[in-house]
Amino acid sequence: MKLLLDTHLLLWAAGQPDRLSKTARELIEAADNELIFSTASLWEIVIKRGLGREDFQVDARLLRRGLLDNGYRELPIGSEHVVAIDTLPPLHKDPFDRILIAQALVEGITLLTTAETVARYPAPLRAV
């Protein structure tokens, strides 16, 4: 199964695996799952680190390299993803979450998320 991890799951998988739920850990560790991260997550990390957010104090360059070295596939943001945001109901205003949801819809992949607000969208996602 192709799994797009939300930003918090990426951060936890890379640096704080003890914060992952049992379900999230099992899905991430399953050899038959293809793990994917979005450039939107790196963008979010850079912006929120620059704002001084304590939960985003990681070097995005090092995180990206580590994810790629550990078999994750990078999903760039394309115009198809951007225009798909317009089809989403207004359940949540976070632009980073909304682009991840749109990417999951367009690509037909499952978004793994820790956010309850994201889990309310009619999209291929799984709250963990």
Side-chain angles (χ1 to χ4, degrees):
M1 174 173 25
K2 293 181 179 184
L3 301 173
L4 174 63
L5 278 67
D6 77 7
T7 307
H8 278 100
L9 284 173
L10 283 175
L11 290 170
W12 297 345
Q16 299 173 304
D18 54 307
R19 293 197 64 184
L20 294 170
S21 69
K22 180 182 177 198
T23 302
R25 187 173 298 117
E26 288 171 353
L27 288 166
I28 291 169
E29 293 175 355
D32 55 336
N33 286 338
E34 180 181 350
L35 302 176
I36 303 166
F37 69 96
S38 172
T39 55
S41 290
L42 298 177
W43 182 23
E44 179 178 13
I45 290 165
V46 168
I47 288 173
K48 291 183 178 178
R49 180 181 183 193
L51 294 172
R53 287 269 306 262
E54 288 297 318
D55 52 340
F56 288 87
Q57 293 304 310
V58 64
D59 184 322
R61 287 176 198 84
L62 294 176
L63 177 63
R64 179 181 181 272
R65 183 77 266 148
L67 292 169
L68 292 171
D69 288 348
N70 283 286
Y72 285 71
R73 183 172 63 88
E74 185 172 0
L75 178 60
I77 299 169
S79 58
E80 202 175 355
H81 303 137
V82 173
V83 297
I85 292 171
D86 193 41
T87 67
L88 298 177
L91 303 175
H92 186 48
K93 294 184 183 200
D94 184 292
F96 300 108
D97 287 340
R98 290 175 64 82
I99 192 67
L100 292 174
I101 294 162
Q103 286 183 301
L105 282 166
V106 169
E107 300 298 325
I109 55 181
T110 301
L111 173 62
L112 286 187
T113 185
T114 59
E116 290 181 28
T117 51
V118 173
R120 296 186 325 207
Y121 278 90
L125 57 85
R126 183 161 177 192
V128 290

